[in-house]
Amino acid sequence: MKFLTVTAFAALALTTAGCVIVDADVKDLDARYSSDAERVYSAKIEDNTITLRVAASGCTTKDFFEADVDHKGGDTFKVEFEREKRDYCKMMQPNGEKLSWTFSELGLPDGANVILVNPVGR
């Protein structure tokens, strides 16, 4: 009896493993997800510094990213980080790499309101 139950679960797992769910209501995927913006594990903006935790395999540095800064008016700026180079190292880093940029590195005035464009989360 146990063998039949295990076999049934294995067959169910194999039949559903190739399923893909498509959100048919989405007309413009670029409007929902930026094709360039790197998904970051976490982000913190404080003390005139932007700190990101990004996917990494051992070699990722700030040089792997290009920052796109757009002035939205007043003291508000939109900042988007785009990965320019892939990390092909083999080190296991399940929590990614922590990278920080100061406002002055990005050309932002001290105390600016920053809107991070990159999606955050895993």
Side-chain angles (χ1 to χ4, degrees), residues 28-40 68 79-83 86 116-120:
D28 183 6
L29 288 176
D30 286 337
R32 197 161 152 197
Y33 298 104
S34 171
S35 59
D36 296 329
E38 173 85 2
R39 177 174 289 279
V40 299
D68 182 21
V79 179
E80 177 179 4
F81 292 92
E82 298 175 12
R83 185 180 286 264
R86 293 282 160 214
L116 182 66
V117 176
N118 297 71
V120 178

Coordinates of all heavy atoms in Angstrom, one line a residue, residues 28-40 68 79-83 86 116-120:
D28 N 1.8 44.5 -21.2 CA 3.2 45.0 -21.4 C 4.0 44.6 -20.2 O 4.0 45.2 -19.2 CB 3.1 46.5 -21.5 CG 4.5 47.1 -21.8 OD1 5.4 46.4 -22.0 OD2 4.6 48.4 -21.8
L29 N 4.8 43.5 -20.4 CA 5.6 43.0 -19.3 C 6.7 44.0 -18.9 O 7.0 44.0 -17.7 CB 6.3 41.7 -19.8 CG 5.5 40.5 -19.9 CD1 6.2 39.3 -20.4 CD2 4.8 40.1 -18.6
D30 N 7.2 44.9 -19.8 CA 8.1 45.9 -19.4 C 7.5 46.9 -18.4 O 8.3 47.5 -17.6 CB 8.7 46.6 -20.6 CG 9.7 45.7 -21.4 OD1 10.2 44.8 -20.8 OD2 9.9 46.0 -22.6
A31 N 6.2 47.1 -18.5 CA 5.6 48.0 -17.5 C 5.6 47.4 -16.1 O 5.5 48.1 -15.1 CB 4.2 48.3 -18.0
R32 N 5.6 46.1 -16.1 CA 5.5 45.4 -14.8 C 6.8 45.1 -14.2 O 7.0 45.1 -13.0 CB 4.6 44.1 -15.0 CG 4.1 43.6 -13.7 CD 3.0 42.7 -13.9 NE 3.0 41.7 -12.8 CZ 2.3 40.6 -12.9 NH1 1.7 40.2 -13.9 NH2 2.4 39.8 -11.9
Y33 N 7.8 44.7 -15.0 CA 9.1 44.3 -14.6 C 10.1 45.0 -15.5 O 10.0 44.8 -16.7 CB 9.3 42.8 -14.7 CG 8.4 42.0 -13.8 CD1 7.3 41.3 -14.3 CD2 8.6 42.0 -12.4 CE1 6.5 40.6 -13.4 CE2 7.7 41.3 -11.5 CZ 6.7 40.6 -12.1 OH 5.9 39.9 -11.3
S34 N 11.0 45.7 -15.0 CA 12.1 46.3 -15.8 C 13.0 45.2 -16.3 O 13.4 44.3 -15.6 CB 12.9 47.3 -15.0 OG 14.0 47.8 -15.7
S35 N 13.4 45.3 -17.6 CA 14.3 44.3 -18.2 C 15.7 44.6 -17.7 O 16.5 43.7 -17.8 CB 14.1 44.3 -19.7 OG 14.5 45.6 -20.2
D36 N 16.0 45.8 -17.3 CA 17.4 46.1 -16.9 C 17.6 46.2 -15.4 O 18.7 45.9 -15.0 CB 17.8 47.5 -17.5 CG 17.8 47.5 -19.0 OD1 18.1 46.4 -19.6 OD2 17.5 48.5 -19.6
A37 N 16.6 46.5 -14.7 CA 16.8 46.7 -13.2 C 17.1 45.4 -12.6 O 16.3 44.4 -12.7 CB 15.6 47.4 -12.6
E38 N 18.2 45.3 -11.9 CA 18.6 44.1 -11.1 C 17.7 43.9 -9.9 O 17.4 44.9 -9.2 CB 20.0 44.3 -10.7 CG 20.5 43.2 -9.8 CD 21.1 42.0 -10.5 OE1 21.1 42.1 -11.8 OE2 21.5 41.1 -9.9
R39 N 17.1 42.7 -9.8 CA 16.4 42.4 -8.5 C 17.4 42.3 -7.4 O 18.4 41.6 -7.6 CB 15.6 41.1 -8.7 CG 14.9 40.7 -7.4 CD 14.0 39.5 -7.6 NE 12.8 39.8 -8.4 CZ 11.7 40.4 -7.9 NH1 11.6 40.8 -6.7 NH2 10.7 40.7 -8.7
V40 N 17.2 43.0 -6.3 CA 18.1 43.0 -5.2 C 17.4 42.3 -4.0 O 16.2 42.3 -3.9 CB 18.5 44.4 -4.8 CG1 19.3 45.1 -5.9 CG2 17.4 45.3 -4.4
D68 N 21.8 54.5 -12.7 CA 21.1 55.5 -13.5 C 20.3 56.4 -12.5 O 19.4 55.9 -11.8 CB 20.1 54.7 -14.5 CG 19.4 55.7 -15.4 OD1 19.9 56.8 -15.6 OD2 18.3 55.3 -15.9
V79 N 16.7 56.3 -8.6 CA 17.9 55.6 -8.8 C 17.7 54.1 -9.2 O 16.9 53.5 -8.5 CB 18.8 55.6 -7.5 CG1 20.1 54.9 -7.8 CG2 19.1 57.1 -7.1
E80 N 18.3 53.7 -10.2 CA 18.2 52.3 -10.7 C 19.6 51.8 -10.9 O 20.4 52.4 -11.5 CB 17.4 52.3 -12.0 CG 17.2 50.9 -12.6 CD 16.4 50.9 -13.9 OE1 16.1 52.0 -14.4 OE2 16.2 49.8 -14.4
F81 N 19.8 50.6 -10.4 CA 21.1 49.9 -10.6 C 20.9 48.8 -11.6 O 20.0 48.0 -11.5 CB 21.6 49.3 -9.3 CG 22.0 50.4 -8.3 CD1 21.0 50.8 -7.4 CD2 23.2 50.9 -8.3 CE1 21.4 51.8 -6.4 CE2 23.6 51.9 -7.4 CZ 22.6 52.3 -6.5
E82 N 21.7 48.9 -12.7 CA 21.7 47.9 -13.7 C 23.0 47.1 -13.7 O 24.1 47.6 -13.7 CB 21.6 48.6 -15.1 CG 20.3 49.3 -15.3 CD 20.3 50.1 -16.6 OE1 21.1 49.9 -17.4 OE2 19.4 51.0 -16.7
R83 N 22.9 45.7 -13.7 CA 24.1 44.9 -13.7 C 24.7 44.9 -15.1 O 24.0 44.6 -16.1 CB 23.7 43.5 -13.3 CG 24.9 42.6 -13.2 CD 24.6 41.2 -12.8 NE 24.2 41.1 -11.4 CZ 25.0 40.7 -10.4 NH1 26.2 40.4 -10.7 NH2 24.5 40.6 -9.2
R86 N 28.2 39.9 -15.4 CA 27.8 38.8 -14.7 C 28.9 38.2 -13.8 O 30.1 38.3 -14.2 CB 27.3 37.7 -15.6 CG 26.0 38.0 -16.3 CD 24.8 37.9 -15.4 NE 23.7 38.7 -16.0 CZ 22.8 39.3 -15.2 NH1 22.9 39.2 -13.9 NH2 21.9 40.0 -15.8
L116 N 14.2 54.1 -5.0 CA 14.9 53.0 -5.7 C 14.0 52.3 -6.7 O 12.9 51.8 -6.3 CB 15.4 52.0 -4.6 CG 16.2 50.8 -5.2 CD1 17.5 51.3 -5.8 CD2 16.5 49.8 -4.1
V117 N 14.4 52.2 -7.9 CA 13.6 51.6 -9.0 C 13.6 50.1 -9.0 O 12.7 49.4 -9.3 CB 14.0 52.1 -10.4 CG1 13.2 51.5 -11.5 CG2 13.8 53.6 -10.4
N118 N 14.7 49.5 -8.5 CA 15.0 48.1 -8.6 C 13.9 47.3 -7.7 O 13.6 47.8 -6.6 CB 16.4 47.7 -8.0 CG 17.5 48.3 -8.9 OD1 17.6 49.5 -8.8 ND2 18.2 47.5 -9.6
P119 N 13.5 46.2 -8.2 CA 12.6 45.3 -7.4 C 13.4 44.8 -6.2 O 14.6 44.4 -6.4 CB 12.1 44.3 -8.4 CG 13.0 44.3 -9.5 CD 13.7 45.6 -9.6
V120 N 12.8 44.7 -5.1 CA 13.4 44.2 -3.9 C 12.8 42.9 -3.4 O 11.5 42.8 -3.3 CB 13.4 45.2 -2.8 CG1 14.1 44.7 -1.5 CG2 14.1 46.5 -3.2

